[in-house]
Amino acid sequence: MTYDYDLLVVGSANADLVIGVERRPGAGETVLGSDLSVHPGGKGANQAVAAARLGARTALLARVGDDAHGRLLLDSQRAAGVDTAGVLSGGAPTGVALITVDPSGDNSIVVSPGANARLSPADIRDASGLLRAARVVSAQLEIPLETVGEVVAGMAPGSRFVLNPSPPVPLPAGILAACDPLIVNEHEARVVLGGPVADGPEDSVADGPEDSVADEPESAGETPESARETPESVGDDPEEWARALLARGPRSVVITLGARGALVADDRTTALVPSVPVRAVDTTGAGDAFTAALAWRLGAGESLTVAAAYAARVGAAAVTKEGAQVSFPTAAEVASLAAAAPGSLPRAGAAERHVTAPGQPVSGPDQGVAE
């Protein structure tokens, strides 16, 4: 079958509103901050830009508001070469992330999903031609879970579905069975295996209308009792996590492990892909770049292990520059990173760190993996 697109990304598009502060305010407190900076973001929009920069024929299916933030996001996509025919406008203001950052780099984020929450199953059905024209379809969970289920139902036979369940919620069997691969960090793996969602700043996202979808066996299927291993029953070995996740139904799994690399697994192979040492400046969006690169290279016919190794290089290149979308590398820049010996990487003014993938992009010798 001939496809018009190497990758269709179905997901979120946000405007990131960032203010630097000397310290984050307490309850009832007002503090002064830096000038406001506004950047295009959202996991879906980030993935689309990352793939297009690498040379993939890319389209985005998303919803933005009919406002200045929506126009900013559309301009960013078009500048990167993304086909925006599937980006819908209206129904709610564009999603925004309100971000305060202190001098140490720690941040606090409040997300208003806005139009992202209005990307509906009906929107997916209306875009069936676009959906069936893509070799690979990638999704995340910053849009309603029922919408992701409709994506799975509407894909062309023979196309491939890639899911990064972030922010994580328990997934219905019908979505799990379509994943090839399911890309998770350790926290996301715990949630997929039935662990508590209430384990970090992403928790509130799970409280919404999408929760009811997991309880609809007629559309999503129920998880067999034999596959219901819990986080407590599989221990701390990443290979055990991979086996437990595969038992839930995905065709393949990628578990990102920070400085340890990424574990890739399917019913034939399990392999550890090493991390890439770089001197990082800004980790924002590195995980989205990893996912986009992995999806594109899988669609090009590479094995899961080879595609993940390439994706690790893309994520590593992204953190050597400031910003999210503006930092995403071209294929030539990734090739340059691959050719460079670790000791000859250009110094970017920070300690050497290791970058792999979504949710856990960076880890250094003296610090834990960033979430």
Side-chain angles (χ1 to χ4, degrees):
M1 180 175 177
T2 301
Y3 296 95
D4 295 331
Y5 302 103
D6 300 314
L7 178 64
L8 169 64
V9 181
V10 184
S12 59
N14 291 330
D16 292 343
L17 280 56
V18 184
I19 299 177
V21 293
E22 285 300 315
R23 60 182 178 82
R24 287 171 287 171
E29 182 183 13
T30 298
V31 299
L32 295 179
S34 67
D35 290 343
L36 174 71
S37 59
V38 182
H39 308 284
K43 297 187 75 63
N46 285 350
Q47 287 183 19
V49 168
R53 287 265 176 82
L54 293 170
R57 298 172 300 163
T58 309
L60 176 65
L61 177 51
R63 184 175 282 277
V64 299
D66 183 12
D67 51 34
H69 290 153
R71 290 186 285 277
L72 169 73
L73 288 160
L74 284 169
D75 288 347
S76 174
Q77 295 293 307
R78 291 166 180 159
V82 177
D83 187 330
T84 60
V87 180
L88 306 171
S89 180
T94 299
V96 296
L98 308 176
I99 306 170
T100 59
V101 184
D102 69 20
S104 73
D106 287 339
N107 59 36
S108 296
I109 304 174
V110 177
V111 175
S112 172
N116 294 309
R118 273 70 166 188
L119 186 65
S120 68
D123 293 333
I124 303 303
R125 291 191 291 272
D126 290 344
S128 60
L130 183 63
L131 195 64
R132 297 174 71 85
R135 184 183 304 276
V136 180
V137 178
S138 176
Q140 326 80 39
L141 298 185
E142 290 184 336
I143 57 175
L145 186 59
E146 61 183 353
T147 302
V148 176
E150 191 64 34
V151 170
V152 169
M155 289 173 53
S159 57
R160 189 166 192 158
F161 180 63
V162 175
L163 177 66
N164 172 216
S166 178
V169 297
L171 295 173
I175 291 178
L176 282 168
C179 296
D180 193 14
L182 175 73
I183 306 174
V184 293
N185 62 27
E186 292 174 89
H187 169 62
E188 291 157 357
R190 290 178 186 276
V191 174
V192 172
L193 288 172
V197 178
D199 192 21
E202 300 170 331
D203 307 338
S204 60
V205 183
D207 298 325
E210 66 269 27
D211 289 342
S212 63
V213 178
D215 300 321
E216 296 179 1
E218 65 274 16
S219 61
E222 294 183 336
T223 303
E225 290 291 339
S226 62
R228 291 180 179 170
E229 294 188 75
T230 65
E232 293 76 15
S233 69
V234 296
D236 296 324
D237 184 350
E239 292 195 24
E240 292 184 32
W241 286 87
R243 286 192 292 270
L245 288 167
L246 288 171
R248 291 293 180 109
R251 302 175 193 180
S252 58
V253 169
V254 176
I255 304 175
T256 63
L257 303 168
R260 291 174 288 166
L263 186 77
V264 302
D266 57 23
D267 60 357
R268 302 176 303 277
T269 304
T270 300
L272 182 66
V273 175
S275 58
V276 177
V278 295
R279 294 178 175 89
V281 172
D282 185 350
T283 67
T284 307
D288 298 325
F290 176 98
T291 297
L294 178 67
W296 174 47
R297 297 317 301 165
L298 288 172
E302 290 182 353
S303 70
L304 187 60
T305 302
V306 172
Y310 181 83
R313 294 195 293 273
V314 172
V319 305
T320 62
K321 301 177 184 177
E322 292 185 354
Q325 294 183 12
V326 296
S327 75
F328 295 157
T330 64
E333 289 170 331
V334 178
S336 296
L337 177 62
S344 66
L345 290 173
R347 184 169 184 83
E352 182 175 282
R353 301 173 181 179
H354 297 272
V355 178
T356 52
Q360 300 180 325
V362 176
S363 177
D366 300 315
Q367 64 185 111
V369 177
E371 288 292 342

